[in-house]
Amino acid sequence: MPIISTTDEGAAAAAGSAGSATARRLARVGFLGVLKASHPVPAAAVTLLTALLAAAVGLGPVAGTTAVAAVAAGQLSIGWCNDRLDMRRDVAADRLDKPLATGEVRPGAVTAAACAALLACVPLSLACGARAGWVHIGCVAAAWSYNLWLKRTPASWLPYTVAFGLLPAVLTLTLPLTSPSAGWPPMWLTAAAALLGTSAHFANALPDIDEDIAGGVLGLPQRLGRRVSVAMAAGLAFASCTVVTLGPPGPVPLAGRLLLGVTLALCLAALAAPPALARGRMPFLIILALAGADAALLVLAGDALTAG
């Protein structure tokens, strides 16, 4: 029988402890890498906007949480799908901000995450009711069509317009049928959401526009160029805020007028940005701020959200 000294036992224990620590560290790095591949900032922004809309239309805690969870799952699936499909192009462009391109996470992990989120999205969506569920599944399908095909065409804006435009309907259709506010939202709300979504498309394309052109991804922003895309993003976002402010019936509240002034200032800031800043994330972050202002305006609109 071999003799194992206490020194050997201590060394083995230390090695086992170090191995466990390394495994935990690698698991943590892998989890963070998968999370980074989900496009967490846009996903969080859309989920937060959904939560504010759910509160504004009067969804209860259970129905509101279910709707927000469905949107969150859909957004995660869209982000993971996008990064997985763009992996080869991101590697060729030496994208250090993409975990798949740097090898921080394995492609199979991102593929599995995208499929799992998509599978979770379906029952969560249908739990909101058949009409609301199928409308949301249609929104997610539109976003996947962007990843799979439309992002390379002049119709790249269409999935954003459709998906964002239908988002309010997901929430108003989730309301109980006995509610007087249940049904399709007013047209001004649908128009405002569609304008905001189209604006987000132009803003989201700005940081990567040069790499996209080099990689052969020629959506509408890439075809129009950076400066025109900045103008489109700012103008469409301001138009969305204007519709939200002026669309509801009745007088415009003072807070609404003040917020509209803030959105105009943000748009002008985006248009006046020096070329060096316009090449970064600043225009996209401004659009996120405009989305926040839109959400605040929607909450101010109150009962008008579900008025015809």
Side-chain angles (χ1 to χ4, degrees):
M1 176 181 294
I3 299 175
I4 301 177
S5 68
T6 56
T7 303
D8 292 337
E9 290 177 348
S17 177
S20 298
T22 301
R24 288 194 299 270
R25 185 164 56 251
L26 290 174
R28 184 166 60 251
V29 169
F31 171 78
L32 292 176
V34 171
L35 183 62
K36 284 168 60 179
S38 69
H39 296 209
V41 173
V46 174
T47 303
L48 177 59
L49 178 61
T50 303
L52 292 172
L53 273 171
V57 302
L59 279 178
V62 174
T65 300
T66 303
V68 170
V71 170
Q75 289 299 305
L76 289 172
S77 79
I78 294 161
W80 281 320
C81 170
N82 185 282
D83 259 28
R84 180 62 183 87
L85 292 174
D86 286 351
M87 184 183 70
R88 291 184 180 179
R89 188 167 54 84
D90 290 339
V91 170
D94 196 24
R95 292 287 301 272
L96 300 180
D97 59 325
K98 296 291 188 178
L100 280 170
T102 61
E104 184 178 349
V105 64
R106 294 181 178 180
V110 175
T111 301
C115 293
L118 186 62
L119 288 174
C121 175
V122 174
L124 285 170
S125 298
L126 294 177
C128 297
R131 292 193 302 170
W134 285 114
V135 168
H136 183 246
I137 291 170
C139 292
V140 175
W144 273 66
S145 75
Y146 170 84
N147 290 338
L148 294 168
W149 171 45
L150 289 174
K151 69 185 297 181
R152 298 171 178 81
T153 75
S156 59
W157 56 273
L158 185 59
Y160 279 80
T161 304
V162 170
F164 273 78
L166 289 176
L167 181 59
V170 174
L171 301 173
T172 58
L173 291 172
T174 300
L175 289 166
L177 293 177
T178 55
S179 170
S181 300
W184 293 91
M187 286 302 300
W188 63 264
L189 179 54
T190 301
L195 287 167
L196 182 63
T198 312
S199 168
H201 171 48
F202 284 96
N204 195 41
L206 289 172
D208 306 330
I209 198 166
D210 295 328
E211 291 85 353
D212 286 342
I213 293 173
V217 177
L218 299 177
L220 188 58
Q222 292 80 12
R223 294 167 190 262
L224 294 177
R226 184 179 301 277
R227 296 308 302 181
V228 175
S229 292
V230 169
M232 292 291 291
L236 289 166
F238 180 67
S240 174
C241 293
T242 302
V243 171
V244 171
T245 304
L246 303 179
V252 179
L254 176 60
R257 292 196 294 268
L258 291 175
L259 272 174
L260 189 60
V262 170
T263 62
L264 178 58
L266 288 170
C267 287
L268 293 175
L271 291 172
L277 290 178
R279 290 180 177 274
R281 303 283 298 177
M282 191 191 78
F284 176 63
L285 295 176
I286 288 177
I287 300 304
L288 287 183
L290 288 169
D294 245 358
L297 288 165
L298 288 170
V299 172
L300 285 174
D303 294 337
L305 289 175
T306 51

